Amino acid sequence: MRTIEEQGYRFEEWLTPSDIAADVQQVAERISADYKDKEPLFVVVLNGAFVFAADLVRALKDVRCEITFIRVSSYWGMSSTGKLEFIVPLQQVVENRDVIIVEDIVDTGLTIHQLKAHMRAQGALSTRVATMLFKPNKLEYEDAKPDYVGRELTDEFVVGYGLDFDGFVRNLDAIYKVKQ
Ligand code: IMP
């Protein structure tokens, strides 16, 4: 099993690149079935979701998709600040569009809760959420329960495949769990 060290913490490989590929494929198949011949707008939440989104959209079949990006921040180090800041605002018109928010991980759900309210206020027809990872035990906002999930985990801190630790290690090809 591969391990890495980052800022004095040890992390162990949890999902290998082939585990991740299988999870992404499963999510892509479900979205492809639900949005066949539709034109959803994928709103990718930067920075973390860029790796998952790149794999996900390329695995879709018969979905005419448009992709846009927003950047929000609610996390510093290993714990949430509880506040959402729009660093790159939504630049696409979502009115009358079927929106799919793409996240790397849903933790407390605050990010998704606020983004869904934002999409609603902007007149989106529907808003669903696709996330690589979901921590159901930590969910604090019921409306933030994701529709498409690659893999669930408990409340461990994970990095890699887009997920960072203070800005670093997003480039790892696997997902690593912090070793307690
Ligand atoms: P939420 O708003 O509490 O659901 O947090 C969502 C955001 O927190 C994600 O988009 C991540 O950027 C960050 N986050 C939550 N858990 C982790 C983790 O285990 N590793 C890295 N980032 C995380």
Side-chain angles (χ1 to χ4, degrees):
M1 183 198 292
R2 292 188 288 178
T3 62
I4 56 150
E5 199 173 314
E6 176 64 25
Q7 297 180 50
Y9 290 90
R10 282 206 80 70
F11 291 84
E12 280 180 349
E13 188 175 25
W14 171 50
L15 298 180
T16 65
S18 62
D19 293 333
I20 294 170
D23 291 348
V24 172
Q25 185 59 32
Q26 168 263 116
V27 170
E29 281 171 13
R30 291 184 52 213
I31 293 177
S32 298
D34 291 352
Y35 289 84
K36 190 171 160 44
D37 302 323
K38 290 191 175 160
E39 292 189 4
L41 173 67
F42 286 79
V43 176
V44 181
V45 185
L46 296 173
N47 290 331
F50 80 106
V51 181
F52 173 52
D55 286 343
L56 178 65
V57 295
R58 287 179 299 167
L60 296 171
K61 293 272 177 297
D62 301 322
V63 181
R64 189 161 183 267
C65 69
E66 217 178 333
I67 303 160
T68 192
F69 300 87
I70 51 167
R71 185 168 173 207
V72 295
S73 175
S74 75
Y75 243 72
W76 279 108
M78 288 198 189
S79 64
S80 177
T81 61
K83 268 195 303 190
L84 194 71
E85 198 187 332
F86 280 80
I87 299 167
V88 176
L90 191 61
Q91 280 154 347
Q92 197 90 3
V93 175
V94 297
E95 196 175 356
N96 291 324
R97 297 297 303 269
D98 291 310
V99 171
I100 302 176
I101 299 173
V102 183
E103 256 288 26
D104 49 1
I105 188 163
V106 177
D107 185 88
T108 65
L110 175 72
T111 311
I112 292 301
H113 171 73
Q114 298 202 358
L115 286 178
K116 274 189 150 177
H118 191 66
M119 300 304 162
R120 236 187 344 264
Q122 303 288 314
L125 210 56
S126 67
T127 308
R128 286 189 182 163
V129 176
T131 185
M132 178 60 208
L133 300 173
F134 176 38
K135 297 178 176 173
N137 299 347
K138 293 194 68 188
L139 193 71
E140 291 174 19
Y141 302 86
E142 199 42 45
D143 71 335
K145 199 162 179 256
D147 303 277
Y148 306 99
V149 176
R151 188 79 68 126
E152 291 189 354
L153 71 161
T154 50
D155 56 3
E156 303 101 321
F157 187 75
V158 287
V159 296
Y161 196 67
L163 291 147
D164 74 311
F165 184 15
D166 283 344
F168 290 92
V169 297
R170 291 190 198 277
N171 57 307
L172 297 172
D173 64 355
I175 299 179
Y176 290 74
K177 261 185 190 171
V178 71
K179 211 167 169 239
Q180 301 298 339

